[in-house]
Amino acid sequence: MPEIKVTPLGAGQDVGRSCILVSIAGKNVMLDCGMHMGYNDDRRFPDFSYITQNGRLTDFLDCVIISHFHLDHCGALPYFSEMVGYDGPIYMTHPTKAICPILLEDYRKITVDKKGETNFFTSQMIKDCMKKVVAVHLHQTVQVDEELEIKAYYAGHVLGAAMFQIKVGCESVVYTGDYNMTPDRHLGAAWIDKCRPNLLISESTYATTIRDSKRCRERDFLKKVHETVERGGKVLIPVFALGRAQELCILLETFWLCLQPLECFMQDNPFRSSGNGQGMKKTWSSCQATVCKELWGIRFSVDNASWKWKDDKYAHADAKGIMQLIRQAEPQNVLLVHGEAKKMEFLKQKIEQEFHVNCYMPANGETTTIFTNPSIPVDISLGLLKRETAIGLLPDVKKPKLMHGTLIMKDNSFRLVSPEQALKELGLAEHQLRFTCRVHIQDPRKEHETVLRVYNHLKAVLKDYSVQHLPDGSITVESILIQATAHSEDQGTKVLLVSWTYQDEELGSYLTSLLKKGLPQSTS
Amino acid sequence: MAAHLKKRVYEEFTKVVQQQHEDLSAKKLRLTKPSKSAALHVDLCKATSPADALQYLLQFARKPVEVESVEGVVRILLEHYYKENDASVRLKIASLLGLLSKTAGFSPDCIMDDAINTLQNEKSHQVLAQLLDTLLVIGTKLTENPSVRMRLVEVACKLQLHERGLKLQQAIYCQACKLLADDYEQVRSAAVQLIWVLSQLYPESIVPIPSSNEEIRLVDDAFGKICHMVSDGSWVVRVQAAKLLGSMQQVSSHFLEQTLDKKLMSDLRRKRTAHERAKELYSSGEFSSGRKWGDDAPKEEIDTGAVNLIESGACGAFVHGLEDEMYEVRIAAVEALCMLAQSSPSFAEKCLDFLVDMFNDEIEEVRLQSIHTMRKISNNITLREDQLDTVLAVLEDSSRDIREALHELLCCTNVSTKEGIHLALVELLKNLTKYPTDRESIWKCLKFLGSRHPTLVLPLVPELLSTHPFFDTPEPDMDDPAYIAVLVLIFNAAKSCPTMPALFSDHTFRHYAYLRDSLSHLVPALRLPGRKLVSSPVSTSITPNEDPSQQFLHQSLERVYNLQHLDPQGVQELLEFTIRDLQRLGELQSELAGMADFTATYLQCQLLLIKALQEKLWNVAAPLYLKQNALASAAAKQILEETYKMEFMYSGVESRQVVIIHHMRLQAKALQLIVTARTTRGAEPLFGMCEKFLQEVDSFQRCFISELPHMQGSFVDKLLDLMPRLVTSKPSEVVKILQTTLRQSTFLHLPLPEQLHRATATIIEPTGESDNPLRFTSGLVVALDVDATLEHVQDPQGTVKVQVLYPDGQAQLIHPKPADFRNPGPGRHRLITQVYLSHTAWTEPCQIEVRLLLAYNSSRSKASAKIPKCTWSDSTEALPLSENGIEGTIPFSKPVKVYIMPKPARR
């Protein structure tokens, strides 16, 4: 049974360190190669030794796909390609390719220069790694090798974020990366066609959330900013994820606010630890206070309006969004990653209940196997096809049709040819298989008269077939031969010998059963 | 006419058709073996008459046709169908097509398009009916077929059947529902439409809910299904679905309200929406501080089993639609909201929050649409303070369209608190300082705001007028637009709040008197204690007919018409006075301005005519005093101009007025003729003029024959009596006759129409106040933005032109594009266009004039619209050219000066 195997090395029932291995029809693909913010030891990178213990990974992976430039999706890339060793292609969209090295360099600086860690990848490694990157356009089908093809769809999470369809033959997997089904001001909503993949691997960060309309939030935020600026105050907006800053700028610009004193602090670390928003909030509040006091020495207030931008479900699909994407793509199976186990459980149950498809949520290192039922294309020789269609009715799309032929499986290809051609190609001699059967008939007349009676009878019954009476006293119906001899002991009993080839089995058995019923009482 | 019709009917039935099939039989057939189609073709070609062809077709129909040749046969049939003139043969062919498409193994998609085409071109009703039958057969057959195009065609076909008035069966509802999940957007889109059609046809029938025993109304089910399509993958389908939702008013209210409902949750706990929170805050009397942590914190736990993430029904359809990434979808959703809210007040109340949110949309069109929508449903709603806050924030929008739409909205909004009124006033005043051009619109807005909320304005009055119980406050500047705005609000509120004037200080009363005079359309008549009543107490409830100003208008006209037999001097004086009165009345009473101006112009013409005829020149026998005629010919010219203005500048002019106007014009032409006759020597040039004049009299008679009885004793009436004499006499005699007739003829009474408005235009931009010249390189062009409001202009796209006058006398006429005109309300238009200027280099900056012109063409006038009817039997050549061809322009806006400076190009 053909199968698709999925093993998350990271992001299985967890957020961060996205790295998912997919084996589909003999091809191995790695989806994302991220780092984990929560750890500073070896656990921050995916455990690549799962793939192989020794040596380079190039032989074991056909390609690597990076969905977008956030570090939890691409942070481990230089380590993986340069330090562990991988020389195959790495696919990402053009914007991702442009922004990714900047973020990696930032990440390296903080880890090495600030925290003083050693044994970390270097700037040169980032450069070398980026050389292996192949940029793709949205909706462009890229042929990785002869069988494996990938295609990027718009994901709307950040600039350049994409969902990827991985396809081998007629089996396919869609990996969403992070996506957003609610359009922002600078990003549209994720969109996919009805590609009906065997498996959809979806993120599920906000599996248990249905978010409010974005408009109220925008209005709230603008009002706060406006009021502050009107009072002559300054606005400090901490922006967590890279990409949110643009959204804010567009929003503010649209409202023609002159915000010269607006300072945008881009946080170093574009990743949020899930679940403890409140804690982060407090840290940031105190941080804000310090900054304000130090910089301007003025009183300040912390408004929670700005917090909603981080806290709320921006840039990720909420439960409804995930369901909407599943509805759009119509997959046969769904696999959830990039979310907390408890929340996934809820969503899994909902998906199974509402779409009646299997839903999986493997933990890190756990392999999920999905059985597929791919249709296998077979080449048929034109001669055979013509011959077969000439016999029966015209082929109908809806009805299966039976045909005789020989299936040759050679050199990884399937061909359906006529038996003669198959024999010729394989250099085999033809063997004939004949069935013979004796039928006893009570008939006191002479042999040739019996034959004549049989002949007349068959001629009357089998109108559509050519029934012939040969001069040597035998009868042929198509290729079936019938001979009559008197029984050696009982002259009143005639023995009819019926002989047919394997191919005419159907007609032959019909004839014998017909003859066994006996001849009709002669009228003449 | 009846005879004519009859003739045509006979023609239709007795047409002898000469069929030219003989030569067609020579056509080579490509088919190698004789097939059915070939035989049929030959047969049909042989047919010499419709009866023959019908016979062949009947024979043909008896025999079965093999699958392989069906298509060929169908082609042949269609070919003949197109050529066939006889309806009965076409009928038979149509029925044969239906029969043939039933053949097993034949897929009728190839003839689908043809069948639909024929449907569109067919005239005979019987054949149409048969074609529809055939299409139905094809349609049912196609349902079994999987290809996209066929599904599409099938649905389209059903829709077409519906449009043709055939009632669709309810049975196809299920099929259509299945097609909603189709892979192709066209199919889905058509299916949505089909479901909508069915829901309108069978709203009350009951359909079962799959996988349960329950049943619901079909319209509710369809509504749910279409709602579901609002989150479809293709935006085309989304737009379609959102649009159709608006027209499903029969849907039950709980389904309707679900569309705005979206259960929020956060980590599986129920959360309140921002809307709910705002409402709560409002009802608890607390201001939204936004400083409280966790005021949006999730509350109660949700039962995981009960949450339905993909609701089968309408849940949140509009929430999604309004947040869609394509603005087309958002607009469609807003439109649909509008339509549904108009039919359901409770829904209007609920959708208010969402509409208010849409005011922040990034696309101007969407904002505009939502403002308009809100205005339409404003009768059903009252704005909360926080909603008003958001609404008013839009006043800062830089687009004039949006601001004006918002002013209109505020005109008909209900505000609940006095703080709300205050807030609105403050924001409007801010708007006024930021965009002074909005003045009129803001005043108008405050007028309505005041008259709608007198009790809310009352407590604000002392603050607004900054009066103090003990101290005298300085008198505000009367010309300050902001102060006027405040006064407009207060005076309109005071109209229905008699206690308010007690709060006014002395100067307020003075200002009232001034404003009542200068801005009478904005300031109502008030009953003020201790003051002379400005108008009678009943004035608030009088009907327009009893309006004193209207009475005054009629009285002065009566006076003029009755006293026409006074001595010439007296008549002249009376006319002069009346004209002055009317002009003054027009300035004071904007609603009567059109009427007053119109009559004043008419009287002015009459006055000019009388004056011209009183000239001494007529008493001098010989045509010696060439200079003396200056006044008379100038008068004739001016009358002509004025008559064109009267005819084309007023909307609401009826044919009764047109006759009078034309009559006046005829008199002016007569005057012209007489003047010319007296001042030129020799009779030769007069021949042509006389003839032309007589032609005009003739055409006047023809055009207005029905009106002639009303014109007893008039110039034309007398002239027509003398017509036989005129035609035969010499020019000099004609002139003499004309002169006496002109003097003897009576003054025609000008009846007034119900509504008469003068076309006016105001150029808002350029303002003409700038001292900085617009510099540009000579020989190149510079674009000048022109923004103007037009009122009571019919068909502005065709008639309004922009004229640019350069100091050297050069004039340039620009035709604005039709798209530059917008129609913000009935009778009002707005022209926003760009005018390209160019000139050779000047030594110093100079002013050019920009003005708007109203172009007219007398052939387009209401009078000549009748001409074709009058001259139906005659040759149209008889029409005088002068009547046809006069084109001209009337300036109808004040010119605006623009300072420009073309610089010499640097080399």
Side-chain angles (χ1 to χ4, degrees):
Chain A
M1 196 77 170
E3 56 191 28
I4 298 174
K5 280 187 184 167
V6 183
T7 315
L9 294 185
Q13 301 182 3
D14 184 17
V15 179
R17 200 174 63 172
S18 283
C19 186
I20 297 140
L21 293 176
V22 174
S23 327
I24 170 171
K27 303 286 171 187
N28 297 320
V29 179
M30 187 158 100
L31 303 168
D32 280 341
C33 189
M35 45 82 87
H36 203 297
M37 270 302 153
Y39 304 113
N40 280 324
D41 48 20
D42 282 351
R43 285 176 297 171
R44 70 180 154 208
F45 292 140
D47 180 16
F48 295 113
S49 63
Y50 179 89
I51 303 169
T52 174
Q53 290 288 349
N54 40 13
R56 304 176 69 79
L57 300 170
T58 318
D59 307 333
F60 300 92
L61 288 174
D62 289 279
C63 76
V64 174
I65 293 169
I66 303 294
S67 65
H68 64 282
F69 58 67
H70 281 159
L71 286 179
D72 59 325
H73 290 262
C74 71
L77 203 56
Y79 169 78
F80 159 75
S81 71
E82 306 308 312
M83 295 170 78
V84 181
Y86 170 75
D87 299 321
I90 300 168
Y91 292 96
M92 52 177 83
T93 58
H94 283 276
T96 310
K97 189 185 174 188
I99 303 170
C100 185
I102 304 170
L103 283 186
L104 286 171
E105 184 58 34
D106 259 12
Y107 176 39
R108 190 199 63 80
K109 267 188 198 153
I110 290 162
T111 326
V112 178
D113 300 353
K114 288 237 174 87
K115 293 184 186 158
E117 281 188 42
T118 49
N119 193 23
F120 204 69
F121 55 78
T122 61
S123 297
Q124 189 54 46
M125 283 181 182
I126 298 174
K127 280 177 198 155
D128 291 341
C129 164
M130 292 317 286
K131 280 178 193 155
K132 295 171 187 170
V133 170
V134 181
V136 297
H137 292 284
L138 288 181
H139 296 199
Q140 174 196 7
T141 306
V142 179
Q143 211 72 41
V144 178
D145 57 34
E146 272 172 16
E147 286 141 25
L148 176 64
E149 61 180 47
I150 61 170
K151 184 177 174 184
Y153 289 96
Y154 188 77
H157 173 61
V158 284
L159 187 65
M163 308 190 277
F164 280 91
Q165 184 192 34
I166 301 110
K167 195 170 174 188
V168 181
C170 59
E171 290 170 285
S172 64
V173 173
V174 170
Y175 173 61
T176 63
D178 290 355
Y179 64 100
N180 182 13
M181 293 300 281
T182 316
D184 287 351
R185 276 170 196 263
H186 75 301
L187 294 168
W191 182 86
I192 195 160
D193 53 19
K194 228 173 242 194
C195 51
R196 298 194 174 91
N198 295 95
L199 175 67
L200 176 82
I201 305 174
S202 169
E203 68 134 330
S204 53
T205 323
Y206 291 112
T208 55
T209 298
I210 300 175
R211 59 145 154 247
D212 198 358
S213 147
K214 64 172 183 174
R215 297 188 186 275
C216 309
R217 215 166 9 201
E218 283 180 0
R219 204 182 53 212
D220 257 23
F221 170 77
L222 284 169
K223 215 163 110 188
K224 296 273 144 50
V225 173
H226 197 154
E227 277 170 9
T228 314
V229 174
E230 252 183 358
R231 285 200 308 261
K234 312 217 185 314
V235 182
L236 177 76
I237 307 168
V239 184
F240 272 75
L242 194 64
R244 294 297 94 200
Q246 289 97 307
E247 173 78 9
L248 282 176
C249 291
I250 295 172
L251 179 65
L252 291 172
E253 203 190 306
T254 330
F255 282 82
W256 297 282
L257 292 174
C258 336
L259 288 173
Q260 290 99 349
L262 173 70
E263 304 276 333
C264 267
F265 280 85
M266 204 95 66
Q267 205 206 3
D268 301 323
N269 172 348
F271 175 74
R272 72 188 74 74
S273 83
S274 57
N276 58 348
Q278 291 287 341
M280 296 274 282
K281 218 179 263 177
K282 273 169 200 143
T283 328
W284 258 98
S285 303
S286 59
C287 158
Q288 252 180 326
T290 329
V291 171
C292 288
K293 274 175 187 153
E294 279 177 5
L295 289 184
W296 299 298
I298 46 164
R299 75 200 157 82
F300 81 103
S301 59
V302 182
D303 270 340
N304 71 346
S306 51
W307 283 104
K308 290 185 181 143
W309 291 81
K310 187 215 77 72
D311 190 36
D312 263 51
K313 319 324 168 200
Y314 253 70
H316 283 274
D318 63 355
K320 275 198 144 192
I322 296 170
M323 300 302 266
Q324 205 179 332
L325 188 89
I326 296 174
R327 185 159 80 102
Q328 269 186 27
E330 290 189 5
Q332 289 154 16
N333 298 279
V334 178
L335 190 142
L336 299 176
V337 294
H338 201 282
E340 287 163 60
K342 207 178 79 204
K343 297 180 181 178
M344 279 182 175
E345 193 65 55
F346 164 78
L347 190 65
K348 173 176 186 283
Q349 177 203 336
K350 287 291 154 197
I351 293 172
E352 285 178 346
Q353 181 186 324
E354 284 176 33
F355 292 107
H356 311 291
V357 298
N358 291 325
C359 185
Y360 308 88
M361 37 174 285
N364 284 340
E366 194 183 320
T367 304
T368 303
T369 309
I370 287 147
F371 294 102
T372 58
N373 196 4
S375 47
I376 298 163
V378 172
D379 290 334
I380 184 167
S381 81
L382 196 63
L384 180 68
L385 186 68
K386 276 185 179 162
R387 206 173 69 189
E388 288 290 328
T389 47
I391 294 168
L393 283 166
L394 283 171
D396 191 336
V397 190
K398 283 192 169 170
K399 287 176 194 158
K401 185 173 158 60
L402 200 68
M403 60 197 304
H404 292 278
T406 312
L407 185 70
I408 303 179
M409 292 162 64
K410 213 166 113 185
D411 306 331
N412 228 349
S413 71
F414 300 91
R415 280 187 308 132
L416 192 64
V417 295
S418 59
E420 301 83 50
Q421 198 185 340
L423 288 171
K424 215 167 90 188
E425 267 181 38
L426 301 173
L428 297 174
E430 191 180 356
H431 293 267
Q432 258 200 4
L433 187 63
R434 278 197 92 87
F435 300 98
T436 47
C437 181
R438 286 174 207 277
V439 182
H440 296 265
I441 293 177
Q442 293 299 325
D443 190 14
R445 272 168 275 204
K446 289 253 170 67
E447 277 169 22
H448 68 267
E449 279 174 19
T450 313
V451 168
L452 208 60
R453 276 188 68 198
V454 169
Y455 170 71
N456 286 334
H457 173 57
L458 289 180
K459 188 123 183 159
V461 174
L462 304 169
K463 275 183 183 127
D464 292 346
Y465 297 88
S466 69
V467 184
Q468 281 177 314
H469 189 200
L470 297 180
D472 65 342
S474 58
I475 303 168
T476 59
V477 181
E478 303 279 319
S479 65
I480 299 167
L481 190 75
I482 302 171
Q483 280 175 328
T485 45
H487 199 271
S488 51
E489 290 160 20
D490 180 8
Q491 285 297 317
T493 309
K494 299 290 177 293
V495 180
L496 289 179
L497 182 82
V498 187
S499 162
W500 67 93
T501 61
Y502 166 68
Q503 285 89 340
D504 283 322
E505 162 69 20
E506 205 181 340
L507 183 63
S509 43
Y510 173 70
L511 260 186
T512 39
S513 60
L514 187 74
L515 289 173
K516 270 179 186 164
K517 282 181 197 154
L519 295 174
Q521 289 307 308
S522 77
T523 44
S524 59
Chain B
M1 199 64 202
H4 184 68
L5 255 179
K6 211 168 172 184
K7 194 175 147 202
R8 282 188 57 186
V9 170
Y10 275 124
E11 252 175 14
E12 210 163 69
F13 283 106
T14 58
K15 203 169 196 174
V16 179
V17 183
Q18 292 291 322
Q19 281 187 316
Q20 301 298 315
H21 289 325
E22 280 77 11
D23 49 0
L24 276 171
S25 57
K27 193 168 155 189
K28 284 252 164 36
L29 286 173
R30 268 176 296 152
L31 295 165
T32 43
K33 61 175 181 181
S35 70
K36 270 256 166 20
S37 55
L40 176 70
H41 183 76
V42 173
D43 275 354
L44 278 177
C45 291
K46 271 193 284 184
T48 48
S49 71
D52 263 4
L54 212 53
Q55 206 56 47
Y56 284 125
L57 285 171
L58 281 172
Q59 277 169 17
F60 177 78
R62 285 189 202 112
K63 294 173 274 178
V65 183
E66 316 82 63
V67 179
E68 307 89 76
S69 53
V70 169
E71 197 175 341
V73 172
V74 164
R75 288 275 145 241
I76 301 279
L77 284 175
L78 279 170
E79 200 177 303
H80 282 274
Y81 181 92
Y82 291 131
K83 282 187 283 189
E84 189 56 67
N85 290 323
D86 188 81
S88 57
V89 179
R90 286 207 304 273
L91 186 74
K92 187 66 207 165
I93 293 181
S95 81
L96 267 180
L97 285 180
L99 272 179
L100 285 171
S101 51
K102 276 185 191 158
T103 317
F106 170 69
S107 66
D109 63 318
C110 51
I111 61 168
M112 193 73 217
D113 289 340
D114 282 291
I116 291 175
N117 276 338
T118 50
L119 196 66
Q120 265 140 19
N121 301 327
E122 185 55 63
K123 295 281 180 299
S124 157
H125 288 275
Q126 281 162 317
V127 183
L128 259 182
Q130 182 58 54
L131 274 173
L132 284 174
D133 260 1
T134 306
L135 275 176
L136 208 58
V137 169
I138 298 173
T140 43
K141 186 141 171 37
L142 282 173
T143 323
E144 304 149 12
N145 233 311
S147 129
V148 194
R149 207 174 134 263
M150 291 178 193
R151 287 193 307 257
L152 184 59
V153 162
E154 175 212 344
V155 179
C157 165
K158 283 188 181 136
L159 285 174
Q160 196 144 27
L161 286 178
H162 172 69
E163 276 162 26
R164 297 266 161 187
L166 200 81
K167 203 156 187 204
L168 294 177
Q169 285 131 12
Q170 203 202 322
I172 57 174
Y173 181 72
C174 286
Q175 253 172 40
C177 289
K178 269 182 218 145
L179 287 177
L180 282 180
D182 200 275
D183 285 6
Y184 291 82
E185 61 179 44
Q186 295 97 323
V187 180
R188 290 201 302 269
S189 164
V192 168
Q193 222 172 335
L194 187 59
I195 286 184
W196 176 79
V197 165
L198 287 169
S199 78
Q200 301 296 305
L201 282 178
Y202 309 97
E204 298 302 326
S205 60
I206 300 293
V207 288
I209 302 174
S211 73
S212 82
N213 308 332
E214 285 171 66
E215 288 179 330
I216 53 170
R217 290 161 74 215
L218 189 137
V219 65
D220 288 343
D221 191 49
F223 188 77
K225 292 213 156 73
I226 296 179
C227 278
H228 201 52
M229 299 309 279
V230 172
S231 48
D232 190 83
S234 146
W235 70 272
V236 183
V237 181
R238 294 203 299 267
V239 170
Q240 170 117 51
K243 270 191 186 146
L244 290 177
L245 281 182
S247 46
M248 299 181 78
Q249 272 124 4
Q250 297 118 310
V251 74
S252 19
S253 62
H254 81 278
F255 271 96
L256 192 57
E257 276 153 28
Q258 266 183 20
T259 55
L260 296 175
D261 188 26
K262 189 175 155 184
K263 295 228 166 28
L264 299 194
M265 58 174 194
S266 176
D267 293 348
L268 285 179
R269 277 186 296 173
R270 171 98 171 84
K271 225 178 127 175
R272 286 170 312 147
T273 64
H275 288 152
E276 286 168 333
R277 267 180 280 140
K279 204 167 177 179
E280 224 162 84
L281 266 176
Y282 171 74
S283 54
S284 69
E286 207 179 328
F287 241 102
S288 170
S289 63
R291 303 235 168 95
K292 228 166 32 172
W293 287 125
D295 66 342
D296 60 337
K299 295 279 165 359
E300 68 266 42
E301 297 270 347
I302 290 177
D303 173 19
T304 48
V307 183
N308 194 0
L309 286 180
I310 298 195
E311 293 78 6
S312 50
C315 262
F318 278 119
V319 180
H320 287 286
L322 294 174
E323 272 188 30
D324 200 275
E325 72 177 310
M326 308 299 285
Y327 79 92
E328 291 92 337
V329 183
R330 297 202 296 268
I331 285 186
V334 169
E335 274 168 11
L337 264 187
C338 173
M339 290 165 80
L340 289 171
Q342 273 174 320
S343 62
S344 156
S346 67
F347 184 71
E349 192 70 47
K350 286 218 164 64
C351 75
L352 198 60
D353 273 322
F354 293 89
L355 272 180
V356 170
D357 282 345
M358 292 310 284
F359 285 18
N360 286 341
D361 198 273
E362 56 260 46
I363 304 288
E364 187 181 321
E365 230 177 307
V366 182
R367 292 201 296 268
L368 199 58
Q369 182 69 44
S370 36
I371 294 173
H372 283 316
T373 300
M374 188 111 142
R375 195 191 68 224
K376 284 179 197 152
I377 63 171
S378 56
N379 299 331
N380 293 335
I381 53 168
T382 303
L383 281 183
R384 277 200 323 263
E385 214 167 293
D386 58 311
Q387 291 166 335
L388 190 68
D389 208 21
T390 322
V391 171
L392 291 172
V394 185
L395 281 176
E396 288 178 29
D397 204 296
S398 64
S399 151
R400 200 188 154 114
D401 283 343
I402 297 246
R403 291 198 310 270
E404 280 182 357
L406 202 76
H407 295 153
E408 298 248 323
L409 164 66
L410 286 177
C411 281
C412 45
T413 319
N414 301 318
V415 182
S416 50
T417 60
K418 76 173 179 41
E419 282 80 15
I421 294 282
H422 192 244
L423 197 66
L425 180 68
V426 168
E427 290 294 328
L428 281 169
L429 291 182
K430 258 194 219 168
N431 172 203
L432 188 63
T433 40
K434 203 167 173 188
Y435 305 99
T437 46
D438 289 359
R439 201 168 65 179
E440 280 291 329
S441 163
I442 289 175
W443 287 345
K444 201 180 113 211
C445 167
L446 283 167
K447 174 189 169 185
F448 285 100
L449 213 56
S451 55
R452 281 180 94 95
H453 309 96
T455 47
L456 297 180
V457 176
L458 184 64
L460 290 171
V461 171
E463 193 194 339
L464 295 179
L465 292 175
S466 52
T467 50
H468 195 276
F470 308 127
F471 302 115
D472 267 344
T473 43
E475 183 176 335
D477 178 12
M478 196 52 245
D479 292 328
D480 180 12
Y483 179 60
I484 295 178
V486 173
L487 286 185
V488 167
L489 175 77
I490 291 174
F491 290 149
N492 279 290
K495 198 170 135 193
S496 49
C497 183
T499 53
M500 206 182 280
L503 298 167
F504 294 173
S505 48
D506 280 347
H507 55 80
T508 317
F509 289 110
R510 262 185 284 125
H511 294 166
Y512 166 73
Y514 172 67
L515 287 181
R516 174 74 191 125
D517 234 20
S518 59
L519 295 170
S520 54
H521 62 289
L522 292 173
V523 179
L526 289 184
R527 222 177 347 156
L528 298 178
R531 293 241 150 205
K532 192 182 67 167
L533 286 187
V534 178
S535 62
S536 58
V538 282
S539 65
T540 41
S541 60
I542 46 160
T543 54
N545 286 344
E546 296 164 47
D547 192 351
S549 36
Q550 188 123 19
Q551 275 172 9
F552 174 72
L553 176 74
H554 286 286
Q555 275 165 7
S556 23
L557 288 179
E558 285 299 303
R559 217 162 49 213
V560 174
Y561 297 135
N562 291 335
L563 298 180
Q564 51 185 294
H565 295 301
L566 270 183
D567 68 302
Q569 196 59 39
V571 171
Q572 269 190 40
E573 268 171 27
L574 181 63
L575 279 174
E576 269 163 20
F577 282 131
T578 318
I579 290 168
R580 206 196 57 202
D581 283 353
L582 287 175
Q583 279 169 347
R584 179 79 187 117
L585 181 69
E587 283 163 26
L588 281 178
Q589 288 284 318
S590 57
E591 60 267 36
L592 284 176
M595 211 86 88
D597 280 350
F598 189 68
T599 25
T601 317
Y602 179 64
L603 296 182
Q604 180 74 37
C605 292
Q606 192 64 38
L607 182 65
L608 282 169
L609 191 68
I610 292 172
K611 273 188 181 168
L613 291 172
Q614 303 261 301
E615 278 291 285
K616 290 197 182 92
L617 134 98
W618 310 113
N619 303 329
V620 183
L624 291 174
Y625 299 93
L626 290 178
K627 278 184 189 166
Q628 294 282 358
N629 65 39
L631 191 131
S633 70
K637 222 171 153 185
Q638 200 184 337
I639 295 172
L640 279 180
E641 266 175 34
E642 298 290 340
T643 55
Y644 283 121
K645 273 192 197 167
M646 282 173 79
E647 191 177 350
F648 296 104
M649 250 174 79
Y650 293 87
S651 66
V653 179
E654 291 161 14
S655 60
R656 287 186 302 162
Q657 285 83 42
V658 176
V659 186
I660 309 281
I661 295 166
H662 276 243
H663 182 251
M664 181 53 81
R665 196 177 297 159
L666 204 62
Q667 280 174 308
K669 281 180 180 161
L671 183 65
Q672 245 176 352
L673 182 63
I674 302 167
V675 173
T676 329
R678 293 204 57 115
T679 50
T680 43
R681 285 159 211 277
E684 282 80 33
L686 281 182
F687 270 118
M689 285 184 71
C690 274
E691 195 154 321
K692 207 172 143 197
F693 180 76
L694 290 178
Q695 269 179 8
E696 262 166 46
V697 174
D698 192 40
S699 74
F700 180 89
Q701 187 196 3
R702 267 193 272 135
C703 290
F704 302 109
I705 193 132
S706 58
E707 301 281 343
L708 283 179
H710 304 298
M711 305 174 78
Q712 299 271 317
S714 70
F715 172 67
V716 78
D717 187 43
K718 288 185 176 155
L719 211 58
L720 287 174
D721 290 342
L722 299 169
M723 205 58 181
R725 243 181 85 197
L726 281 174
V727 178
T728 49
S729 10
K730 283 183 193 163
S732 54
E733 275 175 58
V734 172
V735 169
K736 258 183 208 155
I737 296 170
L738 281 180
Q739 198 175 336
T740 43
T741 339
L742 211 51
R743 277 164 183 250
Q744 285 165 0
S745 60
T746 56
F747 178 27
L748 274 180
H749 187 188
L750 177 71
L752 283 180
E754 288 287 305
Q755 282 290 319
L756 197 62
H757 294 287
R758 189 188 152 130
T760 52
T762 324
I763 299 180
I764 300 160
E765 223 176 305
T767 49
E769 287 160 2
S770 171
D771 288 334
N772 295 330
L774 193 62
R775 289 174 195 279
F776 61 98
T777 307
S778 66
L780 299 181
V781 287
V782 66
L784 179 71
D785 287 311
V786 175
D787 183 348
T789 51
L790 317 170
E791 289 197 36
H792 306 297
V793 181
Q794 291 153 325
D795 180 31
Q797 283 91 338
T799 54
V800 176
K801 318 276 176 225
V802 184
Q803 191 187 35
V804 179
L805 275 172
Y806 293 97
D808 59 354
Q810 195 187 332
Q812 191 189 351
L813 201 64
I814 295 118
H815 306 251
K817 294 192 291 280
D820 290 340
F821 293 93
R822 298 172 200 189
N823 191 356
R828 284 193 295 141
H829 285 91
R830 189 130 174 259
L831 169 68
I832 298 171
T833 187
Q834 279 199 327
V835 169
Y836 298 111
L837 307 173
S838 186
H839 214 278
T840 50
W842 295 349
T843 51
E844 56 192 59
C846 225
Q847 281 175 331
I848 56 160
E849 278 189 8
V850 178
R851 66 166 92 181
L852 296 183
L853 302 180
L854 197 65
Y856 63 83
N857 183 346
S858 56
S859 65
R860 265 209 313 258
S861 76
K862 290 154 199 127
S864 42
K866 288 181 180 171
I867 292 175
K869 273 188 217 158
C870 308
T871 56
W872 180 252
S873 49
D874 304 327
S875 63
T876 41
E877 291 151 33
L879 269 182
L881 279 171
S882 58
E883 216 19 80
N884 246 346
I886 290 195
E887 282 185 38
T889 49
I890 309 166
F892 75 125
S893 79
K894 281 188 192 141
V896 174
K897 291 196 163 81
V898 183
Y899 213 32
I900 63 162
M901 172 62 195
K903 293 175 294 184
R906 278 194 207 126
R907 288 177 196 278

